[in-house]
Amino acid sequence: MGLTSETTVYVMAAVAAICVALLVWLWPRLAKQGVWQVLGRLVAVGVTQLTIIATFACWLNSSYQFFGSWGELFGNVDTAPVGVTQASANNGDAGVTGISVKGALIQPAGTEQLDRVSGLPTGDPAVNGKVESVKVIGRRTGVVDPAFVYLPPQYFQKAYHRQRFPVIVALSGYPGSIFNLAQYLRVSQTAGELQKSGQMQPTIMVMIRPTIAPPRDTECVNVPGGPQTETFLAKDLPDALKSAYRVGHDASAWGVMGYSSGGTCALQLTMRNPHVYTTAGALSPDYKIKDDPTTGNLFGSGLGRVNRVNGHDLMWRLKHLPAPQVSVLVADSKQGEKGYPQTLAFIKAVKAPMRVVSILPDKGSHNFPTWVREMPATLKWMNQQLTFPQDVVPRHLKKPHSTVRASGAEPSEPATKRR
């Protein structure tokens, strides 16, 4: 019985109902005077409340997928040994379905979460595209992280059988999951609709969570002596995708986006690794990573701590370091989100050759309804910045088969633009 299954929720609800019924039935007996009766009342009330809270927690986790399994809930993360992928064997395949080569950096994964997502493409992939459930294995970090990969119809069409495609990596917030990206943010569904209507060039969408050591929130930081999140997302993830899919090899074909802490991560990755990602879309981000109870000590101690803290403060970077040649989009609501002043300050601080545009709706909240409104504009703008790869898969490696505001206006651009 999986942690996220509806069966678990129903069983917990039944247990809670039974506990309530037993409490009502036994209460007359427990109402008598005496030490044992008082203890009995305390135990009965405590157990009943505990089952009700557990039922609610299971329902909440089933809906939002904070933890994908019982092992993950108790901190047991997959650390299976990995090897180097034989890229020449897999590069150019029309997806990873059926690949189970030992040592491959992209492996097929279970579809339990994917099966619960509504609106995904079905039928002929060459007509409707396809979403695959995979696990990404970090060659450097040893991290094993689940992901959904959306492949556009062109990926499976004969006319494109050697063509590489641009990539947008979508990151969830904390303690979010890839289920949230697919079901609530509707990343692949929105991208598919935009591409089908000609508003977006064929693009591979990769949905992944930056929480690589749950339940700890490691943001996008290489923690001294701890999880190496930045290395995983800036090195392991691109290498793994290049080994299994026909994706562009140049940074100009790579973008990263996210919401909440995922948006923070998107900005961090792009500004700190412009040789990997050249475009970012950040919905309701922060501009500085700080320690808090969910993160623990992200930056270590000693003399290097100050440099590490400053390195993840984007306002500090804009003031003291050369601006990277990247393009970023930031989104924040004027009313309803506390980060709006910081977003305006960030926009003002950006200088050439970096370029920034914004989506600034009058009203919104730090939630999915707001981010869903901002998604089409974000994806269209990001896609316009990405270069459709001109290089193709070598013939001997490939078989012959196979911006707008939230209300609809263009994203606003401050005076600082690339010249």
Side-chain angles (χ1 to χ4, degrees), residues 43-85:
V43 170
V45 171
V47 170
T48 301
Q49 290 183 335
L50 182 62
T51 56
I52 292 173
I53 293 173
T55 300
F56 177 76
C58 285
W59 170 81
L60 194 65
N61 186 71
S62 179
S63 298
Y64 293 98
Q65 301 284 309
F66 297 131
F67 299 96
S69 67
W70 293 104
E72 189 175 292
L73 175 65
F74 294 107
N76 297 323
V77 182
D78 191 352
T79 58
V82 302
V84 178
T85 295

